[in-house]
Amino acid sequence: MLEGSDMQEGWYDLSNGGALATSPKINIAFDSEIFVPNINDLLPLFELSFTDPNMQRPILPGEAEHDDQLTHLAPGLYDIYDNQLASWDELVNKYGLSVSKDFYEYDVKRDTSSLYYIINNNDELYGAAKLKIDNSITRIGDWAFRECSQIKCFVIGNNVSVIGNGAFYECTGWCTNLVLPNSVRSIGDGSDLFPGESFYGCVRLKGVTLNNGLQEIYESSFEGCTSLTGALTIPNSVTFLDESAFRNCSSLSSLQLGTGLTMIETSVFAGCSGFKGALIIPNNITNIETSAFAECSGFTTLQLPNTIQQLGWSVFEGCSGLTGTLTIPNSITYLGSSVFEGCSGLTEVVFNATSITTIPQSLFQACTSLQNVQLHNNVVIIEENVFQECSGLKTINFPASLQEIRSMAFYECTRLSGNLEFNEGLTTIGFDAFGYCESITGVKLPNSLTSLEGRAFEFCTGITSFIFGSGITSLESNAVRGLHSLEYLYLPATITSVQGFGIYECENLKTLVIASETRISFPQYTLESCPSIERICVPEDLVDDYQNYFSNSSLHGRLAYTIEAI
């Protein structure tokens, strides 16, 4: 079949090798919204088919399972709004979808939400280079060009104010830039079952310029546009930026946020790993919702304004390129879990948010370069996993207000060093809270501590001295386990029982002090893995009792120890 200017005027039958035909007919499956367009001189011949009026969407050619699902009409041109045959001139004037003489350029001159069913099932449009939205159009309807992958370029008319939900959904052939005219006020409108998604999955779209005057960008409008490059500027006129609007636009290189926003919604920029340089949150932003910048691994610095109030879950999780000092301003009243998890380049945190008394779960987990943390004096609870796997952490202040350190809060902080001394007021240290903190050299627990959960200091191989406070009444299983460098262990008078494996795998333990006024029984295996014990110090009036106890226990002959008075 000939193309473009080489084509003769007339009707072409594609089912017959593209030969000229003698009479026109057209096949477009449609519902009540789809119109029969004027396809000027070039459309193929098909059969016009209506669907059952009760169907939610039309049955497209080839989809019908039974012939009685389609009502076949006589060949001819139909104006379906009037349900009657019409001339081409009448249809041109009334509906205005026309094909230019250039064949490869199409003009859309009617506001409709159903063009998908015409264009996407029209073989003659495949391979089209450009489709222009006429200046007479003010709204591009919902799902108008959905999956029109054959169109390489769309030009949006200068009077379009609303781009409907899913209007260009997965137009995967679009490989040029998107320039929005100044008339556009909204991308998506939230009215559909799936609001937004206007340019969702346009994977070859090269760039986007958002116009001044744009006010609303709805959910997932540009999600998955992985080829978008260059700088993204959100105009000051934008007041609503919905969730996932630019999610996984991984090739964008920089971001400038406008002054019209007060909130950044969930996952708006999640996965935009190509962003580089500084992320500056403007003063007008008060809330940043869940995962808004998650996995934006290219940002190198973060500036939070003193007006910011809320940071939702995982807002900056996986922003591994952030470096230097992070200051959390005093204006913050809410922090979700995992906000900075995986920010592996941060080296220091200054926590100034005094209204935050509970440090949320996993807040700084896997911040592997973090070396120093400064907490304010109102912190009461450090939740689970807050500093887990912060393998570079060397120093942290434990404020006098601190009452609880929960499970795995400092797990595998392998460089946390020096002697840990906690203020009176601390009541709980959770399971594995300091497990595998290999550089701690000493621990002194306060008398206020009443709960030390199992494995709290498991395999802290650098500890040489461990002193329990008087708030502990029982040494739980694995309470002192794997402290391979431990030489001195003090059990206060309040500890009257030791559970199985309470003191275990402490190969270099030399001195054990037991201050209880009643003799403690040590379950089998509890001390058997501590072969270096030289001195067991007990109250003077219990020396003989302990001599008899150990002589008759499974430890007899296994330890070269002496029992002496404290």
Side-chain angles (χ1 to χ4, degrees):
M1 178 175 175
L2 299 175
E3 296 180 354
S5 60
D6 294 328
M7 295 187 70
Q8 302 178 40
E9 291 188 6
W11 299 99
Y12 291 83
D13 185 351
L14 293 186
S15 65
N16 188 26
L20 277 166
T22 57
S23 62
K25 58 181 179 177
I26 192 168
N27 174 9
I28 299 173
F30 57 86
D31 59 18
S32 59
E33 294 184 353
I34 291 183
F35 61 92
V36 177
N38 167 28
I39 309 279
N40 211 7
D41 297 333
L42 296 173
L43 269 181
L45 307 180
F46 293 101
E47 177 182 32
L48 181 59
S49 302
F50 287 90
T51 63
D52 183 332
N54 296 319
M55 296 292 290
Q56 294 299 308
R57 79 165 180 80
I59 299 174
L60 302 179
E63 289 186 335
E65 296 181 3
H66 307 288
D67 289 341
D68 57 5
Q69 287 184 281
L70 300 176
T71 302
H72 300 290
L73 304 180
L77 297 175
Y78 285 82
D79 182 342
I80 65 169
Y81 290 100
D82 294 334
N83 249 342
Q84 61 185 11
L85 287 165
S87 70
W88 279 114
D89 289 340
E90 288 173 337
L91 294 175
V92 168
N93 293 332
K94 189 171 183 179
Y95 300 117
L97 177 63
S98 65
V99 180
S100 75
K101 295 295 184 182
D102 188 13
F103 180 69
Y104 284 105
E105 185 172 297
Y106 292 79
D107 295 316
V108 177
K109 296 182 178 179
R110 176 178 162 78
D111 183 4
T112 178
S113 61
S114 303
L115 291 172
Y116 160 72
Y117 297 119
I118 297 171
I119 293 177
N120 214 42
N121 292 280
N122 186 341
D123 291 339
E124 190 72 17
L125 286 176
Y126 285 3
K130 182 188 291 186
L131 191 147
K132 296 193 299 183
I133 312 297
D134 195 79
N135 289 340
S136 62
I137 300 234
T138 59
R139 174 190 171 89
I140 300 175
D142 294 349
W143 312 99
F145 301 102
R146 184 183 72 180
E147 299 173 354
C148 291
S149 57
Q150 71 277 22
I151 307 296
K152 304 300 187 293
C153 173
F154 289 88
V155 179
I156 296 175
N158 291 331
N159 289 310
V160 171
S161 62
V162 176
I163 298 174
N165 304 307
F168 298 94
Y169 181 93
E170 291 192 351
C171 288
T172 55
W174 193 347
C175 57
T176 58
N177 293 333
L178 166 64
V179 178
L180 294 179
N182 290 332
S183 57
V184 175
R185 295 293 176 265
S186 181
I187 301 175
D189 62 8
S191 63
D192 194 72
L193 180 62
F194 300 101
E197 300 188 347
S198 298
F199 299 92
Y200 179 97
C202 293
V203 295
R204 298 177 65 194
L205 188 63
K206 295 300 184 185
V208 58
T209 302
L210 303 178
N211 59 295
N212 290 320
L214 180 64
Q215 298 171 3
E216 298 174 324
I217 303 175
Y218 278 84
E219 181 178 346
S220 300
S221 285
F222 294 91
E223 182 175 351
C225 294
T226 54
S227 295
L228 283 179
T229 59
L232 176 63
T233 299
I234 307 298
N236 294 335
S237 57
V238 173
T239 58
F240 178 65
L241 185 60
D242 205 356
E243 60 185 70
S244 301
F246 291 91
R247 184 173 187 169
N248 291 332
C249 293
S250 54
S251 298
L252 290 169
S253 60
S254 66
L255 174 64
Q256 181 177 336
L257 296 170
T259 58
L261 295 170
T262 59
M263 176 184 292
I264 299 177
E265 292 282 356
T266 299
S267 300
V268 169
F269 301 105
C272 293
S273 55
F275 284 141
K276 300 292 190 294
L279 173 55
I280 300 174
I281 307 298
N283 292 332
N284 43 288
I285 301 293
T286 58
N287 293 5
I288 304 178
E289 296 297 320
T290 300
S291 301
F293 295 96
E295 307 300 330
C296 291
S297 55
F299 284 125
T300 54
T301 59
L302 171 63
Q303 181 178 318
L304 295 172
N306 290 325
T307 55
I308 196 75
Q309 297 175 12
Q310 298 187 23
L311 297 178
W313 288 17
S314 302
V315 166
F316 300 104
E317 183 176 349
C319 292
S320 56
L322 292 176
T323 59
T325 299
L326 170 67
T327 299
I328 300 178
N330 191 35
S331 58
I332 289 183
T333 58
Y334 173 80
L335 278 174
S337 300
S338 302
V339 172
F340 299 99
E341 183 177 345
C343 294
S344 54
L346 292 174
T347 57
E348 182 177 27
V349 169
V350 179
F351 200 98
N352 290 334
T354 55
S355 63
I356 303 294
T357 58
T358 296
I359 309 298
Q361 183 175 354
S362 301
L363 187 65
F364 299 104
Q365 184 173 343
C367 292
T368 54
S369 297
L370 188 61
Q371 298 178 27
N372 179 48
V373 174
Q374 301 176 39
L375 300 178
H376 62 73
N377 292 326
N378 294 338
V379 173
V380 176
I381 298 172
I382 299 176
E383 280 278 13
E384 290 91 344
N385 313 100
V386 171
F387 297 100
Q388 181 180 344
E389 299 171 353
C390 291
S391 55
L393 183 63
K394 296 178 179 179
T395 60
I396 182 172
N397 65 306
F398 294 106
S401 56
L402 187 62
Q403 297 177 16
E404 295 183 43
I405 300 174
R406 294 187 174 169
S407 298
M408 303 183 78
F410 292 90
Y411 188 79
E412 292 187 347
C413 291
T414 55
R415 295 188 184 179
L416 187 62
S417 59
N419 294 318
L420 293 186
E421 292 193 22
F422 303 95
N423 291 299
E424 293 295 333
L426 182 67
T427 62
T428 302
I429 297 178
F431 178 85
D432 250 333
F434 291 91
Y436 291 88
C437 291
E438 300 169 355
S439 299
I440 297 173
T441 55
V443 174
K444 183 178 181 182
L445 301 179
N447 294 327
S448 59
L449 189 77
T450 57
S451 176
L452 182 70
E453 296 181 4
R455 305 176 185 266
F457 291 90
E458 180 183 34
F459 293 108
C460 292
T461 56
I463 293 176
T464 59
S465 173
F466 201 118
I467 300 172
F468 281 84
S470 61
I472 301 296
T473 59
S474 176
L475 204 62
E476 299 298 325
S477 179
N478 296 302
V480 183
R481 180 182 182 182
L483 309 189
H484 300 314
S485 299
L486 183 65
E487 296 179 0
Y488 178 85
L489 176 61
Y490 176 82
L491 306 181
T494 53
I495 293 181
T496 57
S497 66
V498 176
Q499 304 301 317
F501 301 98
I503 305 170
Y504 190 66
E505 293 182 340
C506 299
E507 297 92 336
N508 290 298
L509 179 62
K510 293 179 173 59
T511 301
L512 171 62
V513 179
I514 306 170
S516 174
E517 297 295 334
T518 59
R519 182 180 57 77
I520 296 175
S521 295
F522 290 87
Q524 189 177 11
Y525 307 121
T526 297
L527 292 177
E528 290 182 8
S529 61
C530 305
S532 300
I533 292 178
E534 298 173 354
R535 302 168 62 228
I536 300 177
C537 303
V538 300
E540 185 174 4
D541 56 355
L542 293 178
V543 170
D544 292 340
D545 197 356
Y546 272 105
Q547 289 280 18
N548 292 331
Y549 171 73
F550 283 118
S551 296
N552 294 313
S553 75
S554 60
L555 295 172
H556 183 65
R558 299 188 183 190
L559 304 179
Y561 61 89
T562 60
I563 295 179
E564 58 188 70
I566 295 176

